Amino acid sequence: MGMDANTPSFSDAVHYLSRDHHTFSFSASHEPALRVCPGELIHVQTWDCYKGAITNDENALSVIPESEVNPATGPIYVHGAEPGDTLSVTIHEIKPGVRGVARTYPGNGQLQHLAISPYAQFFDVVDGLITMNENVSFPASPMLGVIGVAPEFGEIATMPAGKHGGNLDNNLNGIGATIHLPVKHSGALLGIGDMHASMGDGEICGTGIEIEGDVLISIDIIKGNGSQYPVTENATSWITHGVAVEDLPSALRIACEEAANLLVTQWGFTIEDAFIFLSVQGNLGIAQAVYPSTGTVIGKMVVPKISACPAPFKNPFRI
Ligand code: CA
Ligand code: ZN
């Protein structure tokens, strides 16, 4: 990214929002930190999920209260976004910092019975290459764990996911992706954070490579909305989400229902055709399943863009 003349770069941004402006929850009662118009390029600085508290071997195992995890930079008020609309957030670029961390916690994650000690692993991130140790390195694949808007009712911490987005932990929410979020309040009140330099499907130990960084986004508004939960779109696919509390089968089912609903309502599939098509061409997967979760688990259905369903929404009226 950045070499193509058509690809925006950070120097093109017309707004800058520092990580000093952050919240640990999504709520319509939060004061906007920034007001933007659709289409404007916005440079957003994000904290890592520990707000910079885990930096070296001395503090590597520090216990961070859950109320101080996942700061989301924002809220960003988007002029013209009204309840019933869709906020379409395009991630043009993600520039992670130079050092990230992953941690294990007792009683947490799919391998907790095998690895019972708390442990922290730092990673160097240089020129798109992540180094874990002298033997293990791999390409960076930066993404945002947290992206959300003010929920319909009340206040929701940045730790769980939900219909408002939040801690979706979908590793497809990376460079080039557009995340469509259902708007419930004027201005939408977007927040983003919890950058990962890399995170696998499931995030099985409970963290990705948690890292600070810079994000270049722009925001469009689609009038009207066709989904209950956020929908991600990239060059080849659109991806629905399903969220449930400690209930992976329900999370997977909701992701399927969301995809089927879009195929039926937007693209004219019968429910039977949608069912079959998703079975033979859709890829059902796990965004996040940190067993045993005390919060939400997230399923995703990846739908290929073919001429019969080239986008999540048909003929969206954008402003
Ligand atoms: Ca996360
Ligand atoms: Zn994270």
Side-chain angles (χ1 to χ4, degrees), residues 82-100:
E82 294 297 335
D85 294 345
T86 298
L87 200 74
S88 299
V89 182
T90 296
I91 302 172
H92 298 285
E93 182 65 289
I94 300 177
K95 190 164 169 277
V98 296
R99 197 161 192 247

Side-chain angles (χ1 to χ4, degrees), residues 46-50 69-73 143-147 158-159 166-170 173 192-197 199 203 206-212 288:
T46 61
W47 286 105
D48 67 272
C49 73
Y50 303 116
V69 173
N70 279 356
T73 306
M143 52 152 294
L144 298 175
V146 169
I147 179 165
T158 50
M159 186 56 78
N167 192 14
L168 288 170
D169 277 335
N170 180 353
N173 290 340
I192 65 174
D194 188 29
M195 183 186 293
H196 302 149
M199 188 201 94
E203 197 188 31
T207 78
I209 298 178
E210 309 295 336
I211 198 162
E212 63 170 359
Q288 189 232 69

Side-chain angles (χ1 to χ4, degrees), residues 8 22 35 38 80 97-98 113 118 140 142 193 202 204 207 209 213 242-243 273 287 291 294 305 314 318:
H22 63 268
R35 292 171 187 268
V98 296
H113 55 298
I204 68 162
T207 78
I209 298 178
V243 177
D273 284 347
Y291 178 83
T294 53
K305 286 184 169 178
K314 188 176 186 179
R318 292 170 191 271

Side-chain angles (χ1 to χ4, degrees), residues 32-37 75-82 186-190:
L34 177 69
R35 292 171 187 268
V36 305
C37 290
I76 299 173
Y77 183 104
V78 185
H79 291 292
E82 294 297 335
S186 293
L189 299 176
L190 175 73

